Amino acid sequence: MTEVVHTPRVFSGIQPSGGLTLGNYLGAIKRFVDMQESGIETLYCMVDLHAITVWQDPADLRHNTRELAAGYIAAGLDPAKSILFNQSQVSAHAELGWIFNCVARMGWMKRMTQFKDKAGKNAENASLGLFGYPALMAADILIYHSTHVPVGEDQKQHLELTRDVATKFNHDFGVDFFPITEPVIEGAATRVMSLRDGSKKMSKSDPSDASRINMTDDAETIAKKIRKAKTDPDALPSEADGLKERPEARNLVNIFAALNDQSVDAVLTDVGGKQFSEFKPMLVDLAVEKLSSISTEMARLMNDPAEIDRILGEGSNRARAIANPILQKTYDIVGMIRS
Ligand code: AQP
């Protein structure tokens, strides 16, 4: 079998399951913008079908999907350069997702740590969709024959499963059809942690609003949350090694480095020896400078929901034009009659 070389194509998505956080911005959206600017074809999705794996109030879901689109655009994604759309408007995702439900194995799903984290102790009561989430995620990526997926560290295991699904499909049907996708997990903040607990991921669904910076927070709220962020009593070290056993300190330094497009070492060269009473105001100034223009632009865009819907409709048309031929070919490989 000759190996097919796939043209580089980038796909990633975020759930409209709440407001965007600084974690989503630094771990994902900032990378999306970098990849858009690299000239590779880029598709960025609001994965609304994934969001409903846990309960979403319909009005909130609509609002959050538009707000996520506004966040994408305000952060620098350009609908003329990237294909921006919501997942449910491109039915090929769900159709390929079903085929992958029949390729992926129960044992693979049972090993997914995100399911265990999200279902918690009440796994019997979790939706079937939450359990099968990674098979739909594999479909999101592979329906475009995507070669690269920028994500935060927490998605690494799901991307390994996507590679397993592609490998098994290709093997079972004796084809070289789906690419083996590369995760792109880069930058100083691939895992932004809660401001209240350095061992927990910053998350939009954390019940404590003080645990996260929302992309819609105003300057005063950002300042208050950073001032209150948990730290330790020691001064900052001059080298990254000194942050190893200090999760909260490491988190704030990582956030600073990522916002300022610097390495952690470069930040520590400047701030090593400073107390948090000095470092936190520096971080407040930087965060407000970088984030306030995004939140202002998001608010402006949200005044015109019809324009957001138009952008998503147009993006969905462009996405369908890529996805549908790949879906038809998949059905053909599997043996479905298409008359
Ligand atoms: N704390 C984080 N640090 C770095 N990257 C993060 N991402 C999420 N949190 C962090 C990245 O954002 C992208 C989209 O995530 P998602 O919304 O699809 O799902 P998630 O990872 O489950 O994000 P949340 O905020 O934790 O949502 P909820 O609370 O609804 O579960 C992914 O690339 C992710 O890596």
Side-chain angles (χ1 to χ4, degrees):
M1 193 168 42
T2 52
E3 200 179 317
V4 178
V5 178
H6 293 274
T7 318
R9 184 178 283 146
V10 173
F11 173 90
S12 198
I14 296 184
Q15 301 182 71
S17 50
L20 270 176
T21 71
L22 182 66
N24 298 135
Y25 175 62
L26 295 177
I29 300 181
K30 215 164 172 290
R31 300 277 84 73
F32 297 179
V33 177
D34 294 343
M35 299 199 87
Q36 169 186 270
E37 298 311 323
S38 74
I40 306 175
E41 185 175 27
T42 44
L43 294 105
Y44 297 121
C45 191
M46 286 111 246
V47 286
D48 47 12
L49 296 175
H50 283 286
I52 61 164
T53 54
V54 299
W55 169 250
Q56 303 294 330
D57 174 82
D60 290 347
L61 180 62
R62 254 187 291 278
H63 171 86
N64 290 336
T65 304
R66 292 187 179 122
E67 192 176 78
L68 178 54
Y72 277 179
I73 297 166
L77 293 178
D78 176 353
K81 292 186 187 166
S82 291
I83 299 178
L84 306 182
F85 68 105
N86 57 312
Q87 186 186 24
S88 59
Q89 292 208 65
V90 183
S91 60
H93 287 245
E95 292 180 64
L96 186 62
W98 178 258
I99 292 177
F100 286 171
N101 278 343
C102 303
V103 173
R105 306 287 95 182
M106 292 284 285
W108 300 0
M109 298 295 164
K110 283 186 181 158
R111 286 194 288 275
M112 294 297 110
T113 56
Q114 184 166 299
F115 176 75
K116 290 179 200 160
D117 292 346
K118 288 200 172 175
K121 291 196 181 79
N122 205 5
E124 289 294 310
N125 200 33
S127 72
L128 195 53
L130 188 67
F131 185 68
Y133 185 116
L136 180 59
M137 180 165 159
D140 299 336
I141 294 165
L142 295 172
I143 194 65
Y144 302 103
H145 277 185
S146 312
T147 54
H148 295 83
V149 183
V151 279
E153 179 70 37
D154 59 317
Q155 293 298 326
K156 197 169 171 206
Q157 197 186 29
H158 287 166
L159 285 175
E160 279 159 12
L161 189 134
T162 298
R163 293 162 67 95
D164 291 344
V165 167
T167 305
K168 182 161 163 43
F169 182 98
N170 289 347
H171 175 266
D172 288 354
F173 293 99
V175 290
D176 188 2
F177 185 60
F178 287 115
I180 309 303
T181 306
E182 288 297 330
V184 181
I185 303 173
E186 280 175 357
T190 54
R191 190 171 174 79
V192 179
M193 308 310 280
S194 156
L195 298 179
R196 308 301 304 157
D197 177 353
S199 68
K200 267 172 63 183
K201 188 184 89 158
M202 182 182 285
S203 168
K204 47 175 122 70
S205 56
D206 191 313
S208 161
D209 191 59
S211 71
R212 62 180 162 263
I213 293 175
N214 304 300
M215 295 306 288
T216 47
D217 284 344
D218 59 21
E220 203 182 313
T221 311
I222 294 174
K224 200 160 105 196
K225 287 179 177 174
I226 293 177
R227 264 189 254 115
K228 279 196 167 172
K230 191 174 166 201
T231 46
D232 57 42
D234 297 336
L236 284 161
S238 305
E239 283 169 12
D241 251 14
L243 291 171
K244 262 193 185 149
E245 307 297 324
R246 300 175 61 187
E248 282 87 14
R250 186 173 64 224
N251 189 35
L252 295 187
V253 172
N254 284 352
I255 292 173
F256 190 100
L259 282 171
N260 216 21
D261 290 312
Q262 277 183 296
S263 69
V264 167
D265 283 321
V267 173
L268 291 176
T269 305
D270 295 339
V271 304
K274 285 193 198 303
Q275 295 292 337
F276 280 101
S277 54
E278 258 184 287
F279 178 65
K280 279 185 171 178
M282 291 171 65
L283 181 57
V284 168
D285 287 348
L286 178 66
V288 169
E289 179 201 324
K290 300 281 179 177
L291 304 180
S292 60
S293 59
I294 300 178
S295 65
T296 309
E297 180 61 5
M298 278 174 80
R300 193 190 68 76
L301 292 164
M302 285 299 280
N303 283 327
D304 191 356
E307 173 60 8
I308 294 181
D309 294 359
R310 192 197 61 75
I311 291 170
L312 296 182
E314 194 182 290
S316 301
N317 288 338
R318 291 165 67 199
R320 273 194 295 272
I322 303 172
N324 285 349
I326 293 175
L327 180 67
Q328 295 314 320
K329 180 75 186 150
T330 310
Y331 279 137
D332 185 43
I333 291 169
V334 172
M336 308 283 185
I337 293 172
R338 317 292 293 161
S339 49

